[in-house]
Amino acid sequence: AHFPAHLATGAMMSTPDERALMGMLPYTALTVVVTLVAVGKNVTLRLLGSLTYYLIPETPQEQAKARLARVTAGKSPSEVRRRAARIKANISEDAEGTESIAAVKFGKALVLAPYFREFDYALLFVILVVANFAAAELAPFALNLPEHENILVPMLALVAVFSSTRSLVKLLFDRLTPKIERQAALAVGVVGFVLALFFLLLVPTSALDFEVAGTSKELAPAMAKKIRSRVVGRKAAERVADVAGGMVVPELQIFIGLALFAGIITGALLGPAVRIVRSYNMCVRPPSWGGDFVGVSKAMVPLLHASFALPVVTVFAWLAPLSRAPFGLTDEQYDLVRVCSLMATGVVQVVVVPALIQAYLDGGLVAWYEVKHGERGVQAMAALRGVVRQKLEVTKHLACKVAVQAVGPATLMIACACLLGSKRRDDSEGATENITSLVPAVCWRTVASFLGWWTCTAWATLISVGVAAAKAGVETFTR
């Protein structure tokens, strides 16, 4: 019997492109499902919606909002309920019996706050990148599926890195950002560029290798071959690759490109570091009178300490003489240490974001309390009521801006960790080509490893200096 030609063709093994497409279907479906769940369940609102802000009710609308806050406080989560009860019982009424300050939960009104969208996008990209990376790592073992590169991981990671950096730079040039902060950030950015360039030039690869030499040799020939294969065919591409094999991208050019991006990140992290250090101090060292009103639960304190300690630990864990040599780690084990340490640092940063933002909001309460209960008491409150009210309004207005600054470094670390992990193995000779394979795996590793490590280093340095300055009494980091 003879089969029709079109049936025989259909029965043949699918092409590599078709196999690649079929291999991506589960990850595409996962991305769609995770996005729908994250949006449908209002993950961002669940994370920040229960935070409490403060206002001095003057208008009828504000007084109604304060009354509603009292009624709904009993239905709030236990920590919010206790906070509202303590404020009401101790400091929320004037001598005349009218409320002088009210604690109000953000709730769904948070979506109207400036920069909520940027924070929402950052959190969504973190969830999507981690979900895709975890699925790609676990699928061959848990579901016994053939190993297949999830190209969504590097693509989502790149979008997360550039989106997060753009948001941090945008906040730096926000009209409410003090001019002195903007100038200081630009200066720190220049210093960061110079330090990163000297670091790349001077630090031996035996201590910390970002595989720049491999990127320098492989980038031009690989891209020339793969682009030509799409245009003139595979055999002609082989001849082009032989000719392009002598092409080398100078390492100095790669150093300058990486250092420029490192300088941008360093400058953009200055403002976040200042505000996060203030919030951290408010959490772990609240005012002597404020133990019942501000601060965090005992369970959160170790996580806050870990969020400040892990960046320092990760910076040194990447140094081969300190981590690889003493324990005799193989290349695969050392790569896993780098990926996992950077990932853990970023995840802990995300976990403590609500506590840090609540501490930032508590700064308004502290300002109100110190004016009202200062040496001049009621007279000072009457004179400065408008100033304090404006302070509370600005604090509420900037809540999501500070949230973006708090989650920004974490987004960069997590995205770089996932990108590094997904490209930690070189492309095999017979591997299916895809959009990310246009650039050799070693080039992805160079970018991900350096930017991830530098972000962690810059963040660890800035917050460490901030904590030390706060202990020394420098007002910039304490109020």
Side-chain angles (χ1 to χ4, degrees):
H2 297 282
F3 293 97
H6 69 278
L7 293 178
T9 303
M12 293 174 62
M13 185 176 296
S14 58
T15 65
D17 288 341
E18 290 173 341
R19 289 197 301 272
L21 180 61
M22 293 299 295
M24 281 304 302
L25 286 179
Y27 300 121
T28 305
L30 173 68
T31 302
V32 173
V33 170
V34 171
T35 302
L36 292 175
V37 171
V39 174
K41 294 295 183 180
N42 291 325
V43 173
T44 307
L45 282 178
R46 288 176 181 269
L47 190 66
L48 297 184
S50 62
L51 297 181
T52 301
Y53 70 92
Y54 305 94
L55 61 86
I56 296 177
E58 289 186 350
T59 66
Q61 293 85 354
E62 291 173 343
Q63 291 170 358
K65 190 179 293 186
R67 288 193 296 270
L68 181 62
R70 291 202 309 273
V71 172
T72 58
K75 301 177 183 179
S76 302
S78 57
E79 182 61 29
V80 178
R81 187 166 61 249
R82 285 194 298 270
R83 175 186 292 270
R86 289 194 296 262
I87 292 170
K88 176 63 182 171
N90 290 275
I91 61 173
S92 65
E93 291 188 355
D94 284 328
E96 301 85 14
T98 59
E99 283 189 296
S100 61
I101 193 168
V104 183
K105 189 172 74 170
F106 266 112
K108 294 182 180 180
L110 187 68
V111 299
L112 302 176
Y115 298 108
F116 174 83
R117 185 177 62 177
E118 284 80 357
F119 179 76
D120 194 30
Y121 285 166
L123 195 61
L124 178 61
F125 277 121
V126 166
I127 295 171
L128 290 177
V129 172
V130 172
N132 275 278
F133 177 68
E137 293 295 313
L138 297 177
F141 306 101
L143 302 178
N144 199 27
L145 295 176
E147 188 169 331
H148 189 281
E149 182 186 2
N150 182 356
I151 64 172
L152 290 177
V153 175
M155 294 172 66
L156 287 169
L158 277 184
V159 172
V161 168
F162 284 106
S163 176
S164 182
T165 305
R166 176 183 173 276
S167 294
L168 291 173
V169 172
K170 181 181 177 181
L171 296 183
L172 179 62
F173 291 96
D174 179 63
R175 61 185 179 83
L176 293 178
T177 300
K179 184 177 180 181
I180 184 65
E181 179 181 328
R182 195 177 300 121
Q183 293 172 340
L186 291 174
V188 169
V190 172
V191 172
F193 164 73
V194 173
L195 290 178
L197 184 58
F198 275 96
F199 182 89
L200 288 167
L201 288 169
L202 300 178
V203 172
T205 56
S206 59
L208 193 56
D209 187 8
F210 299 115
E211 301 183 79
V212 175
T215 295
S216 173
K217 294 176 183 177
E218 295 185 26
L219 180 59
M223 291 192 69
K225 175 182 175 182
K226 289 177 180 177
I227 292 174
R228 280 286 185 173
S229 68
R230 295 285 183 180
V231 178
V232 299
R234 196 171 296 276
K235 289 186 177 180
E238 296 290 344
R239 293 194 297 271
V240 172
D242 292 338
V243 175
M247 296 172 58
V248 174
V249 178
E251 291 188 15
L252 182 59
Q253 292 184 10
I254 299 174
F255 289 159
I256 293 174
L258 292 174
L260 278 172
F261 208 85
I264 294 172
I265 291 176
T266 306
L269 290 180
L270 177 63
V274 172
R275 288 182 177 84
I276 296 311
V277 168
R278 289 176 186 168
S279 296
Y280 171 78
N281 286 321
M282 182 70 71
C283 288
V284 300
R285 286 185 289 273
S288 57
W289 54 264
D292 291 333
F293 315 113
V294 298
V296 295
S297 63
K298 292 182 179 179
M300 183 58 66
V301 173
L303 283 174
L304 284 164
H305 290 321
S307 72
F308 272 60
L310 277 176
V312 180
V313 174
T314 298
V315 168
F316 288 101
W318 277 49
L319 299 178
L322 298 179
S323 60
R324 184 174 185 176
F327 301 101
L329 300 179
T330 63
D331 290 345
E332 181 73 14
Q333 292 169 336
Y334 178 58
D335 288 340
L336 286 175
V337 167
R338 297 197 300 171
V339 171
C340 292
S341 61
L342 194 59
M343 177 81 74
T345 302
V347 169
V348 172
Q349 299 279 336
V350 174
V351 171
V352 300
V353 165
L356 293 171
I357 306 310
Q358 184 59 67
Y360 169 76
L361 294 167
D362 288 343
L365 176 65
V366 171
W368 170 85
Y369 186 93
E370 290 180 347
V371 170
K372 182 173 181 179
H373 296 272
E375 294 181 0
R376 296 174 58 191
V378 177
Q379 292 179 349
M381 192 64 206
L384 299 176
R385 183 181 180 88
V387 176
V388 175
R389 176 180 164 82
Q390 186 178 21
K391 164 74 174 176
L392 295 175
E393 283 292 327
V394 171
T395 300
K396 174 195 171 186
H397 183 78
L398 297 180
C400 283
K401 175 180 179 178
V402 180
V404 174
Q405 292 180 320
V407 82
T411 304
L412 290 170
M413 293 179 205
I414 292 172
C416 289
C418 292
L419 179 56
L420 178 60
S422 68
K423 291 291 186 178
R424 66 182 183 273
R425 302 181 187 91
D426 287 318
D427 300 324
S428 58
E429 196 64 34
T432 304
E433 292 186 4
N434 55 61
I435 190 171
T436 66
S437 66
L438 288 173
V439 178
V442 65
C443 304
W444 291 99
R445 291 198 299 271
T446 296
V447 173
S449 60
F450 177 74
L451 292 184
W453 183 82
W454 185 265
T455 298
C456 198
T457 302
W459 186 246
T461 302
L462 290 171
I463 61 176
S464 297
V465 170
V467 170
K471 287 186 177 180
V474 178
E475 190 171 336
T476 302
F477 293 93
T478 58
R479 302 183 68 82

